[in-house]
Amino acid sequence: MNRNIRVLLVDDQPIICEAVRRILSSHPDIEFCFCENPTNALSQAEKFSPTVILQDLVMPDVDGLTLVKFFKANPKTRDIPLIVLSSKEEPDIKYRAFENGANDYMVKFPDQLEVLARIRYHSKAYTALLERNEAMRKLQESQNALKNELDEADHYVRSLLPQKFDNGKIATDWVFKTSTSLGGDCFGYGAITDKHFSIYLLDVCGHGVGAALLSVSAMNVLRSQSLSGVDFTKPDQVLSALNNAFDMDKQNGMYFTLWYGVFNTETRELAYSSGGHPPAILVANGQYQKLKTNGIVIGGMPEAKFESKTIIVPNNAKLYVFSDGVYEVEYADGSGMMNLEIFAEELLKPPFADNTKTQSMMMFSQQAQKNEQFEDDFSLCEITIR
């Protein structure tokens, strides 16, 4: 920002005006404006936009100290450096001038070198303030625009999440709370044949736009079942195909973990496979069971092998699928981090009053860290199988 020095002199004596004008006349980078009537000082300052104001204290119609206060109370002039240029030398007057907001004080009539030095010093500081404020304004605009874009992206990710339902045989519920930045968790469920019901949750490494884009891409593949030659009722086939389709070397070094299960509504058999993901928890008959296979993260190694396991699901069981952000929270008392076992044990307990079990589990983790906001995404999906 290129800005000339602009000096506004407020003084009822034309002789002072002429003296200051002569001092400044040989400096082409300094513009000068004289205000002889102090009642017009504020309006003239707003029109001229000075980088420094020189002001007398003894003038007709307006008390000089009061005018200093007015300059500092006006939003358009309060940051402009104000130098009192007065014949009064009493310490009490100087004290009151500074108390009312003056930035400097010179006794008439100082040496021209001193006048120039103080004008340049205060103008330079004011120009730097304007430049900083402009940079901060542009930064704030940029941050607001980025926030709006991230909010739109977050809204889109949420729009992909499934509807909750209860058809008498299967009921679903979930909670999803993103961390402080755009997250990389996604999950879904739904019928893939007349008798097969799929459940999956994935967690992309890291956060931000890149993680969200990878998460959405993988999620859309799972929703559309668009992997060629893959039987989506076979979890190991699904993970193997995703691993080859989303090679981390082609995804800017990013990978994701995944738990994928398929429930057969006729046989009550649940087939599942996991790639670097926390186990799902099956709660039935007052006990819990971890459901996990030994697959690596998705995209980590081309042609990696994945396996499926199966289990018969008892009546009135609940299946919980989640990301590690639900239990990897630091205790507020500094005693360490919650582990999976503690979280799983809590799943066996009744929900908090007037809350669903998924809501209660989120509150459980929030209470542990004594903070409603999580460092990682909190994604917890509950499937009730009657």
Side-chain angles (χ1 to χ4, degrees), residues 273-347:
S273 183
S274 57
H277 201 82
I281 300 293
L282 182 66
V283 174
N285 302 319
Q287 297 181 323
Y288 72 84
Q289 185 174 351
K290 299 177 185 178
L291 307 182
K292 183 180 182 179
T293 62
N294 293 321
I296 67 170
V297 297
I298 307 300
M301 184 181 299
E303 305 303 328
K305 301 298 181 182
F306 296 87
E307 63 174 327
S308 290
K309 290 183 180 181
T310 61
I311 187 174
I312 300 300
V313 180
N315 292 333
N316 298 315
K318 291 183 181 293
L319 178 68
Y320 293 95
V321 187
F322 44 85
S323 61
D324 55 12
V326 304
Y327 62 87
E328 288 186 349
V329 297
E330 294 283 348
Y331 285 110
D333 61 7
S335 60
M337 181 179 290
M338 183 190 299
N339 58 41
L340 178 59
E341 284 67 29
I342 292 174
F343 189 83
E345 289 288 344
E346 187 67 23
L347 287 171

Side-chain angles (χ1 to χ4, degrees), residues 198-258:
S198 67
I199 311 104
Y200 47 86
L201 191 148
L202 64 91
D203 180 4
V204 177
C205 67
H207 298 92
V209 175
L213 288 174
L214 178 55
S215 177
V216 168
S217 297
M219 184 73 169
N220 283 331
V221 168
L222 288 167
R223 293 177 68 193
S224 62
Q225 301 180 42
S226 58
L227 294 169
S228 178
V230 175
D231 184 349
F232 275 79
T233 68
K234 307 294 184 183
D236 57 328
Q237 289 189 29
V238 174
L239 267 67
S240 295
L242 286 171
N243 182 66
N244 293 331
F246 290 94
D247 185 344
M248 64 183 294
D249 290 338
K250 299 177 182 179
Q251 303 295 331
N252 198 29
M254 303 189 77
Y255 59 86
F256 58 92
T257 67
L258 172 68

Side-chain angles (χ1 to χ4, degrees), residues 4-14 16-25 27-38 40-56 59 71 80-81 83 85 115 119 123:
N4 282 344
I5 296 173
R6 300 168 68 87
V7 179
L8 172 65
L9 173 64
V10 182
D11 197 308
D12 63 310
Q13 300 181 57
I16 299 299
C17 165
E18 187 58 30
V20 174
R21 189 193 307 277
R22 288 185 180 183
I23 292 174
L24 305 181
S25 61
H27 298 271
D29 63 327
I30 299 179
E31 299 178 48
F32 178 71
C33 178
F34 175 55
C35 177
E36 185 175 1
N37 183 352
N40 297 330
L42 281 172
S43 60
Q44 195 155 345
E46 291 183 11
K47 293 178 182 178
F48 182 61
S49 299
T51 60
V52 64
I53 297 171
L54 302 179
Q55 186 209 300
D56 190 18
M59 296 178 289
F71 271 125
I80 301 173
I83 304 174
L85 185 61
V115 174
I119 286 175
S123 291

Side-chain angles (χ1 to χ4, degrees), residues 177-181 207 325-329 361-367 369 371-378:
K177 184 176 179 64
T178 56
S179 63
T180 52
S181 58
H207 298 92
V326 304
Y327 62 87
E328 288 186 349
V329 297
M361 293 307 297
M362 184 171 67
M363 294 168 63
F364 173 71
S365 295
Q366 289 172 328
Q367 290 171 4
Q369 64 179 5
N371 190 343
E372 291 188 359
Q373 187 62 54
F374 293 100
E375 291 294 323
D376 199 358
D377 296 344
F378 189 104

Side-chain angles (χ1 to χ4, degrees), residues 162-165 170-175 187 189 197 199 201 281 283 317-322 347 349 351 355-361 379-386:
Q163 295 292 318
K164 301 174 185 180
F165 71 87
I170 294 177
T172 65
D173 189 26
W174 51 262
V175 289
F187 57 86
Y189 46 72
F197 184 86
I199 311 104
L201 191 148
I281 300 293
V283 174
K318 291 183 181 293
L319 178 68
Y320 293 95
V321 187
F322 44 85
L347 287 171
K349 300 177 183 179
N355 291 281
T356 66
K357 187 57 184 176
T358 55
Q359 290 171 336
S360 296
M361 293 307 297
S379 303
L380 174 63
C381 187
E382 176 190 75
I383 310 294
T384 301
I385 304 174
R386 297 189 175 94

